[in-house]
Amino acid sequence: MPDVPDPRPLEGRRLLLGVTGGIAAYKAAVLVRLFKKAGAEVQVLMTPDATRFITPLTLGTLSEREVLIEIFPENADGSWTKHVGLGLWADLFVVAPATAQTVAKLAHGFCDTMLTATALAARCPLLICPAMDHDMYRHPATRANLERLRSYGYEVMEAAHGELASGLVGEGRLPEPEAIFDRVVAMLAGATEAAGSLAGRHVLVTAGPTREALDPVRYLTNHSTGTMGFALAEAAARRGARVTLVAGPTALPTPPGVTRVDVVTAEEMHAAVQAHRDADLVIGAAAVSDFAPEAISASKIKKTGAEMVLRLRPTPDILAALGREKRPGQVLVGFALETDDGPANARRKLEAKNLDWIVLNDPKEPGAGFGPGTNRVTLLARDGTVEDLPRMPKRAVAEAILDRVAVSL
């Protein structure tokens, strides 16, 4: 029998629909109805100029939710932070129509409306559907902005060809609502497939720095923020894994669906990892201190003007311990932060610790290493494969790493 199409393919899905100030804004009403009929919850965000073309009352009635426009609403109930909550709530953010102005704002990180603020805060995929006059659409600035959005990981649906509001004929029309709807269904179906790629697996991730006390006031540590490890934990959870995140000291919030174990020292991290050493996939993204003070002073060490000599002892090698006990089918992934002879040092670590993959990055390279922004990594596999990834946001790096290592399971 032929497959029967699912009458509600978006059942339980949560969509953000961004509507900007172009003549095609009227098609947003059709989009809302299509999304709702397919079972989705829809929250509409409008730019102020969009209200010149279609009223918030219309879209609010169809979506059964208050339409949000300004980032600073008149009430004082704390709802100005809704952009953060919505960015976590949504499964997909669609901007249709996306004018040249909004495309430029999104490409360069402007944050002046609820729509643009939510786009910056969103952790979900974004689908951009441009609509403007032909010459605006083909202008090098617009093309460059659309390419920039693609580099962020956004999907861009090319504009359709046809009659335009100016009377010209050419590219620039908003794709028909049914075509946008089909793209949304396909994107979410793909996300579901990706999310299921780790279903039933236990993934253990370490993240952040460790702190090794000198006295009650001071400690040895490093510049790690934990961002890369947290991005990996979040991405694994989205793919359906049961995720345990062993985190050193960091202020980052726990990703949705992740079980977090907080530790401070390398010894504590080692113990926590050993407690979950049966995980199917272990990703050691933490920047673990290699050495700790041999003795911790019970009192604050006073400055005397004389030289201070510290005696340090090695801390446990967490991944090497797992490598010695690795069971069949288990996959171990390490990180190597190297300032010199990176590939050679990373390959030595991979072999010495019995890892399956190692992720190499250089803190001296712009946009790589520690910090909350981007990373530029090289993946080295046990079979000798080497792959250089471009500089990307750490969330995108996390997805790329999981795309590669998941096939080893």
Side-chain angles (χ1 to χ4, degrees), residues 310-323:
L310 289 177
R311 293 187 62 83
L312 303 177
R313 58 175 176 79
T315 58
D317 192 323
I318 297 173
L319 275 178
L322 291 176

